[in-house]
Amino acid sequence: KAGVTQTPRYLIKTRGQQVTLSCSPISGHRSVSWYQQTPGQGLQFLFEYFSETQRNKGNFPGRFSGRQFSNSRSEMNVSTLELGDSALYLCASRGERGAITDTQYFGPGTRLTVL
Amino acid sequence: AQKVTQAQTEISVVEKEDVTLDCVYETRDTTYYLFWYKQPPSGELVFLIRRNSFDEQNEISGRYSWNFQKSTSSFNFTITASQVVDSAVYFCALISGGYQKVTFGTGTKLQVIP
């Protein structure tokens, strides 16, 4: 099976702009989670979608949003970008059952730079 | 709440040396799962192992081994005869049914010097 794919791999934006990142899970996986990774804060959980519904969310402002489509592909949107949003954004999908305790498999990430 | 502590921020070893990465966790749940991931410079987190709280057997996979001890809430990872390709950041993670979110440690950066 193909792994988790994320597009684009690299992105440069300016403050105030908005950005949309895409994630395609492993075939058959219905759960997609998003994480933000920065040198200062480490890996932080953004939110998780399962069968097109947000199942869980972390402590991020409303500028961060997401959605999931019927084919399990997910998008993450960040509006009104701030310098502090510069990070590696990682997407992960879970097994076919989508149970919270299932192993997560990660994509290569999207590196976002905000100027 | 739950917590994962990886006290070692960076470790440097010479190739062929053995190295142990420490992971200490906290959770109030009796059922939980522990994971180790490897993050090479490319950025992708690579899954290494998953262990549930009811299985305290140690695991060996090639040069990798894991020691899970509930008595000390630790899940340590040992690389035997390290190689340059082992250079990466290693993350320990925890999830429990009660907390519903994965908690990652801050990672240990391993540098294997040829």
Side-chain angles (χ1 to χ4, degrees):
Chain A
K1 283 185 182 178
V4 178
T5 58
Q6 291 186 246
T7 56
R9 292 294 311 280
Y10 301 92
L11 210 47
I12 299 176
K13 293 286 189 179
T14 56
R15 279 181 300 175
Q17 286 187 310
Q18 77 164 22
V19 67
T20 299
L21 312 182
S22 180
C23 171
S24 291
I26 292 170
S27 177
H29 288 193
R30 293 184 292 161
S31 161
V32 173
S33 297
W34 289 90
Y35 292 84
Q36 181 196 66
Q37 186 179 25
T38 60
Q41 300 296 319
L43 270 160
Q44 293 188 289
F45 172 73
L46 280 154
F47 31 66
E48 182 198 8
Y49 286 85
F50 179 74
S51 292
E52 301 179 64
T53 301
Q54 188 179 86
R55 179 162 71 174
N56 230 328
K57 70 187 301 273
N59 298 320
F60 277 80
R63 299 186 297 108
F64 292 81
S65 63
R67 59 178 175 168
Q68 187 179 33
F69 302 94
S70 58
N71 61 357
S72 295
R73 188 177 70 86
S74 176
E75 287 183 347
M76 189 193 94
N77 185 274
V78 187
S79 62
T80 319
L81 284 167
E82 301 176 359
L83 295 178
D85 297 332
S86 294
L88 179 67
Y89 289 88
L90 291 160
C91 164
S93 73
R94 282 196 166 93
E96 284 81 1
R97 295 184 310 147
I100 289 290
T101 51
D102 283 351
T103 299
Q104 290 185 108
Y105 295 92
F106 285 81
T110 294
R111 188 164 294 282
L112 172 64
T113 301
V114 182
L115 303 176
Chain B
Q2 54 187 35
K3 186 178 178 181
V4 175
T5 301
Q6 294 181 257
Q8 304 151 307
T9 306
E10 290 192 41
I11 302 176
S12 288
V13 299
V14 177
E15 202 171 19
K16 296 184 182 175
E17 283 185 348
D18 298 346
V19 59
T20 295
L21 309 182
D22 298 332
C23 172
V24 174
Y25 62 91
E26 293 177 31
T27 178
R28 294 179 182 174
D29 290 329
T30 56
T31 302
Y32 52 88
Y33 296 80
L34 294 160
F35 304 83
W36 275 96
Y37 286 89
K38 173 183 180 181
Q39 187 176 40
S42 61
E44 179 176 347
L45 266 75
V46 177
F47 166 71
L48 295 177
I49 189 170
R50 175 177 185 257
R51 173 68 71 228
N52 73 55
S53 53
F54 298 108
D55 182 2
E56 277 195 82
Q57 282 190 332
N58 291 333
E59 176 93 8
I60 297 176
S61 176
R63 297 184 296 107
Y64 294 171
S65 62
W66 291 269
N67 180 253
F68 177 29
Q69 290 194 330
K70 289 176 72 171
S71 60
T72 55
S73 297
S74 64
F75 186 42
N76 297 336
F77 173 31
T78 297
I79 301 175
T80 303
S82 59
Q83 299 176 2
V84 172
V85 293
D86 296 328
S87 297
V89 181
Y90 291 85
F91 291 92
C92 181
L94 163 71
I95 190 166
S96 61
Y99 193 59
Q100 296 283 302
K101 296 177 187 177
V102 179
T103 299
F104 282 87
T106 50
T108 297
K109 183 176 182 180
L110 173 65
Q111 183 178 21
V112 181
I113 304 165

